[in-house]
Amino acid sequence: MENNPKTYTTFPPEVASVAAARRFVGETLRGWGVDDVDDAMLLTSELVTNAIVHAGTEVEVVCAIIGGQVRVEVHDRHQARRVPVPGDQVSGRGLLFPETLATSWGVTYGSGGKHVWFTVPGTGAAAHAPAPPPHEEIVSAPQTARPTVDQLAQRTAQAAQDTLGADCVYVLLADDDAELTLRATAGVRPEGAALEIGLEGAPVGGRGVYADLGGSPYNLPALQAAGIRSLVTAPFTVDGRAIGLLIAAARDPGHFTEDDVERLQQIADRQAPSMERARLMELERARRGWLGFLAEASSMLAGTLDQQMTMALVAQLIVPRLATWCSVFTVRDTGLALPAYAWHADETMVADLRTLLDLLPPAPPPAEPGSWEGFTPAPSGDLPETAHRVTGDVAHVFPLLARGRSIGMLVVGGPKGARFTRDALELTEDLAGRAALAIDNARLYEEQADMSRTLQRSLLPPDIPTIPGLDVAVVYEPAGEHSEVGGDFYDVFSVGTRWRFAIGDVCGTGPEAAAVTGLARQALRILGRENHSIPEVLERLNALILEEGTRARFLTLLHGELEHLGDGRFRVTYATAGHPPPLFLSPGGLVKGEDDSDLMLGVFPEAAFDVKTMILKPGSVMLGFTDGVTERRRGKQLLGDDGGLEHILAGCADLNAGAVAAKVMRAVRGFSVEPSHDDTALIVLRVEE
């Protein structure tokens, strides 16, 4: 293997790339023999997420071993976007993980983009192992796993029991909240059952011998019930700081002496450093695990813009890792928080939990995290009997803050007597901050999408009128995200004894396109009902769009008039302004159409428009369409190439208007597996036989 291996690969700007980049780095470093790849994978996840969110370009990830250090670089292609750093007031946490975990990191800007890099130790990298002498066999020494805190605690308890001849020994260690937790016991009752006495929460205390249990600070009923009558205690200390307590107990009063205190203290002093190192390593592993969990959670939350799904994801990320149950409350117009989603580790209790939450009086969300006193509702005859299993649970609440305002609160809970560690609460608070941004983003997206749908509906006719002797069908499908207003439109309306139709395509999408669409549809109806001819309508609409100035968009339009001739036939008079001309299908399956079109609207003030006329016999079909049909793309081929649409329409003889529209749209959708990037609209007019 070369001395300084290096490799790279490129990922597209999408959420799935975060996990793919993480796998790439992990597999590469393991292949190079790096012992610990967790930090490198976690940091890669953070940098790739930042690049995709803040730069929005494809990302190149480079791995290398340089001077015994792992170096990972994340390159993006954005020329100006500055990467957020810790302390920035942005949505997210910036480069917090590199600042915390990397031995060094930095950002380099260039003319074609930037790259963010970090280094971590490359311990064990095969590339840096010295080459073995010729013909020398290398034998690796067996690697033994370091003992865990609980294993060390159990060994300590057993050693103390053997040394002092105690009936039972307890090893208690302080957690991050400085509360003692029972980690190991040694000893048996006369009948052989292990002694498991709950001493959690007891003070650390000092060393001493207690000939009578009643004089000790551990005069617990559980000890007395076990038949314990005397104790000897010694603290575990490291650098003058108490980290736990070692207790030896006996059924005989006065069983221990001062010498036993000294011997117990020697055991505690000998084992305390090893247990503290193991505890710190355990905390470090847990911290890395939680950081990885947060990175995964962030990736998952960024992958959806559905508000209900986001809340469900938040709750199911928390349960059962951090809490027994979780509920998300959202703030309504009243400023009060009401339950929006609830989840319980026991799925049979979800309905009861939701019932309890619904009975709580609405209240504003708190400004700060803390214990939640309002969980148990007042007694009610409506409370299901099974719901009493949840009442009285311990609960903590966290405000959901996004963009400087409260959008709700996150509540986590557990059964009565459960204790949430400081680490769990801090992690939940961090996750609540990320969840608030994800929920708010989903809410804003849904509001925008709802406004867009409402606006789109207002730009289309409420319904298609019934025209005697004519079968009419219309189709409209917007492209892109639901938050975009499409640029295509259609209309069919009466003008006295005749009927007018229109199908148009505004350049682009969004509010500007919607403004031109609304102007065009209303102008067509007003001018048509004032008995203006087809060319006059187009000329006046052209002038109206030009008056809008540079904010207006260009418009292509097919506009025509239908007149019943009294013998089952219809006369179609139409003009095209930069729009694809209509196609006509005869009852015998012959398709005809024009090739030319006049100038589009909104370009030249002197534009003129010619009309064309076609007589439709019974069984004949006229198809009006937008370029979203003919320009549907599959590689370099378009659906409209070589008369593709004409061929599809030729196979529609003897079909009614709705069936013709459905067959054309099936062909459009099936032409390519890629999503359409253009709106699609159709008008099908068929003379009834």
Side-chain angles (χ1 to χ4, degrees):
M1 180 182 292
E2 58 183 304
N3 289 333
N4 293 305
K6 182 177 181 180
T7 187
Y8 65 91
T9 191
T10 303
F11 302 94
E14 56 191 36
V15 173
S17 295
V18 177
R22 198 162 50 241
R23 286 194 301 272
F24 163 71
V25 170
E27 292 169 0
T28 298
L29 297 182
R30 290 190 190 99
W32 290 343
V34 177
D35 291 337
D36 188 354
V37 302
D38 291 342
D39 284 353
M41 292 175 65
L42 177 59
L43 292 171
T44 300
S45 176
E46 179 76 358
L47 298 191
V48 173
T49 299
N50 268 307
I52 290 174
V53 171
H54 298 290
T57 69
E58 67 175 15
V59 178
E60 182 182 78
V61 178
V62 181
C63 288
I65 302 286
I66 302 174
Q69 292 277 311
V70 170
R71 180 183 172 101
V72 177
E73 301 174 2
V74 175
H75 301 237
D76 65 55
R77 303 289 186 257
H78 198 292
Q79 297 182 358
R81 175 81 72 169
R82 188 180 70 85
V83 70
V85 298
D88 283 354
Q89 296 301 312
V90 296
S91 298
R93 302 179 67 86
L95 297 179
L96 178 60
F97 290 170
E99 185 182 60
T100 304
L101 300 180
T103 55
S104 61
W105 68 278
V107 185
T108 303
Y109 292 88
S111 59
K114 65 177 176 298
H115 69 263
V116 186
W117 58 269
F118 67 83
T119 62
V120 292
T123 307
H128 300 282
H135 311 298
E136 178 176 293
E137 181 179 3
I138 298 178
V139 180
S140 299
Q143 297 295 316
T144 58
R146 293 185 176 92
T148 66
V149 174
D150 289 336
Q151 289 172 333
L152 289 170
Q154 190 62 50
R155 294 177 191 175
T156 303
Q158 192 63 56
Q161 185 189 21
D162 294 342
T163 302
L164 274 64
D167 291 314
C168 50
V169 174
Y170 309 95
V171 175
L172 298 98
L173 296 178
D175 59 19
D176 283 348
D177 296 325
E179 293 189 2
L180 289 176
T181 302
L182 183 64
R183 300 298 293 261
T185 64
V188 293
R189 294 188 183 195
E191 62 270 23
L195 290 174
E196 295 179 356
I197 298 178
L199 294 172
E200 291 90 343
V204 172
R207 72 181 197 173
V209 58
Y210 304 97
D212 179 8
L213 182 63
S216 80
Y218 310 105
N219 184 19
L220 301 178
L223 288 171
Q224 292 179 331
I228 299 302
R229 293 296 177 267
S230 60
L231 293 175
V232 60
T233 64
F236 294 105
T237 59
V238 175
D239 297 330
R241 177 174 54 89
I243 65 166
L245 191 65
L246 181 59
I247 301 176
R251 290 188 292 270
D252 300 329
H255 180 84
F256 301 107
T257 67
E258 290 296 333
D259 290 340
D260 291 326
V261 177
E262 292 296 332
R263 289 190 291 170
L264 190 66
Q265 187 65 65
Q266 290 174 2
I267 296 173
D269 292 343
R270 186 167 60 248
Q271 296 296 329
S274 297
M275 284 196 293
E276 179 66 358
R277 282 195 300 271
R279 186 186 72 86
L280 292 176
M281 291 181 64
E282 185 178 271
L283 289 175
E284 177 65 14
R285 285 194 296 270
R287 181 181 65 86
R288 292 183 180 183
W290 288 129
L291 289 175
F293 166 73
L294 285 174
E296 292 285 355
S298 296
S299 297
M300 295 175 71
L301 292 172
T304 177
L305 286 172
D306 181 285
Q307 186 176 193
Q308 194 67 19
M309 185 179 296
T310 302
M311 291 188 289
L313 186 59
V314 170
Q316 294 180 31
L317 282 169
I318 290 174
V319 176
R321 292 176 182 87
L322 300 171
T324 305
W325 57 263
C326 174
S327 179
V328 179
F329 288 65
T330 55
V331 172
R332 310 301 165 86
D333 294 339
T334 59
L336 304 179
L338 297 175
Y341 189 86
W343 188 249
H344 199 288
D346 182 351
E347 294 185 27
T348 64
M349 298 180 67
V350 173
D352 294 334
L353 174 62
R354 183 58 193 256
T355 299
L356 283 174
L357 296 173
D358 288 338
L359 290 173
L360 298 177
E368 299 290 337
S371 60
W372 196 38
E373 305 298 336
F375 176 65
T376 305
S380 169
D382 298 330
L383 192 64
E385 181 64 29
T386 55
H388 289 290
R389 294 183 296 171
V390 187
T391 56
D393 277 11
V394 178
H396 289 264
V397 62
F398 303 87
L400 295 176
L401 304 174
R403 298 172 180 87
R405 62 187 183 83
S406 174
I407 65 167
M409 62 185 186
L410 179 72
V411 182
V412 297
K416 187 175 182 179
R419 187 172 66 87
F420 290 87
T421 66
R422 185 176 63 188
D423 281 349
L425 294 177
E426 289 177 353
L427 187 67
T428 306
E429 183 178 1
D430 195 324
L431 187 58
R434 297 167 188 245
L437 288 171
I439 293 170
D440 199 44
N441 286 338
R443 179 188 62 82
L444 292 173
Y445 176 82
E446 290 180 1
E447 288 179 358
Q448 178 66 33
D450 186 59
M451 286 191 296
S452 295
R453 285 190 291 266
T454 302
L455 178 57
Q456 190 72 68
R457 285 194 297 268
S458 72
L459 299 176
L460 297 174
D463 51 37
I464 298 301
T466 300
I467 303 177
L470 205 62
D471 186 13
V472 182
V474 295
V475 174
Y476 172 74
E477 288 189 0
E481 299 288 346
H482 297 302
S483 59
E484 283 288 321
V485 182
D488 289 9
F489 71 96
Y490 63 83
D491 202 359
V492 180
F493 56 93
S494 64
V495 286
T497 59
R498 299 180 304 280
W499 301 86
R500 294 246 173 126
F501 64 88
I503 184 167
D505 184 358
V506 179
C507 175
T509 59
E512 294 86 355
V516 175
T517 299
L519 172 67
R521 197 171 78 83
Q522 298 303 324
L524 289 172
R525 289 197 170 213
I526 293 171
L527 295 172
R529 286 167 178 168
E530 290 180 353
N531 208 30
H532 289 283
S533 67
I534 298 296
E536 290 173 342
V537 169
L538 295 182
E539 290 168 3
R540 294 192 176 214
L541 180 55
N542 184 51
L544 286 172
I545 295 174
L546 287 169
E547 287 177 4
E548 292 293 307
T550 56
R551 63 182 179 177
R553 298 291 185 90
F554 304 140
L555 168 66
T556 70
L557 184 66
L558 164 64
H559 185 38
E561 183 174 275
L562 297 161
E563 182 180 5
H564 199 294
L565 299 179
D567 55 358
R569 299 180 302 158
F570 278 82
R571 178 189 292 118
V572 180
T573 304
Y574 67 92
T576 55
H579 199 86
L583 295 177
F584 297 93
L585 173 67
S586 70
L590 181 64
V591 176
K592 294 182 179 180
E594 300 287 339
D595 293 329
D596 59 336
S597 176
D598 294 321
L599 293 172
M600 70 173 63
L601 304 178
V603 181
F604 299 106
E606 65 275 11
F609 306 95
D610 296 326
V611 297
K612 300 175 180 65
T613 302
M614 177 68 71
I615 302 298
L616 298 183
K617 299 178 181 180
S620 298
V621 173
M622 188 203 84
L623 172 65
F625 53 92
T626 59
D627 59 10
V629 175
T630 52
E631 294 182 5
R632 181 77 163 110
R633 182 175 295 276
R634 180 173 59 203
K636 296 182 179 180
Q637 183 183 3
L638 302 179
L639 184 145
D641 289 346
D642 302 321
L645 183 57
E646 287 84 343
H647 178 73
I648 297 169
L649 184 60
C652 295
D654 299 327
L655 298 181
N656 62 30
V660 172
K663 185 169 183 177
V664 172
M665 289 306 300
R666 279 198 303 272
V668 171
R669 299 186 194 104
F671 188 72
S672 175
V673 296
E674 296 295 325
S676 176
H677 298 292
D678 199 359
D679 304 334
T680 303
L682 295 176
I683 287 183
V684 181
L685 306 173
R686 184 179 186 275
V687 181
E688 294 179 346
E689 297 177 274

